[in-house]
Amino acid sequence: MKKLIYILLFTCCGVLQAQQWQESFDDALTKASAEDKPIVLVFSGSDWCAPCIRLKKHIFDSDEFKAYALEHYVMYDADFPRKKQNQLPEAKMNQNKALAEKYNTKGYFPLVVVMDKDQHVLGTTGFVARTSPEKYINTLNKFLK
């Protein structure tokens, strides 16, 4: 019985984690409009950008942030991996490049863009050393006021 409970917990947690990040920016826009939530657009280099990796590990992958984001944000990761084995499908890479041309013209990594459901930029931030998920959530929420 305990084994079954653990399997169900891991399955449910995996589903929640998968649902946190939208598969495409169009999906993020649709969800943001339907649920009246802001979009958190993250420009990252998942396999080469040390601050990006730390931001994901210490903030975005934390249980506190995941739980809060699931209820309050629509998340999209515009990732730009460099290693061949991590390359994205061409359509997704092209979408991410188009987003970078519009929202990350200076090429900062990581760059976190908070926007409303109509794609109006409310604010930007990046990696903040020695911050907690709670403080990072507060930083994002300052843009929403």
Side-chain angles (χ1 to χ4, degrees):
M1 183 67 173
K2 279 186 178 180
K3 193 173 186 179
L4 179 62
I5 291 171
Y6 286 123
I7 291 170
L8 289 174
L9 282 173
F10 282 116
T11 304
C12 292
C13 291
V15 169
L16 288 177
Q17 185 176 357
Q19 291 176 346
Q20 179 185 4
W21 296 93
Q22 298 306 298
E23 193 59 37
S24 73
F25 191 69
D26 289 337
D27 290 347
L29 291 172
T30 300
K31 184 175 176 111
S33 291
E35 298 180 10
D36 195 28
K37 292 180 182 177
I39 297 170
V40 177
L41 170 60
V42 180
F43 290 95
S44 66
S46 63
D47 63 5
W48 59 270
C49 170
C52 302
I53 294 165
R54 289 175 55 199
L55 179 62
K56 181 179 183 315
K57 180 180 177 184
H58 296 292
I59 303 299
F60 298 140
D61 286 349
S62 71
D63 290 339
E64 182 179 356
F65 188 89
K66 286 192 283 191
Y68 189 88
L70 197 58
E71 295 296 319
H72 296 91
Y73 308 135
V74 175
M75 304 291 294
Y76 182 73
D77 183 21
D79 190 19
F80 290 85
R82 290 184 179 168
K83 294 180 181 175
K84 191 172 184 172
Q85 69 265 25
N86 298 331
Q87 289 303 302
L88 301 175
E90 186 176 353
K92 189 164 188 166
M93 194 63 182
N94 289 338
Q95 179 180 53
N96 291 353
K97 285 178 182 177
L99 290 168
E101 288 173 10
K102 186 172 183 178
Y103 298 109
N104 191 4
T105 56
K106 295 185 179 179
Y108 293 138
F109 287 88
L111 178 67
V112 179
V113 180
V114 180
M115 64 179 69
D116 66 17
K117 63 184 178 183
D118 299 314
Q119 301 182 60
H120 298 117
V121 175
L122 305 174
T124 62
T125 190
F127 174 71
V128 181
R130 296 183 195 88
T131 194
S132 67
E134 180 183 1
K135 287 179 183 175
Y136 206 85
I137 289 166
N138 289 339
T139 298
L140 297 179
N141 286 343
K142 286 179 185 175
F143 302 129
L144 304 177
K145 294 178 181 180

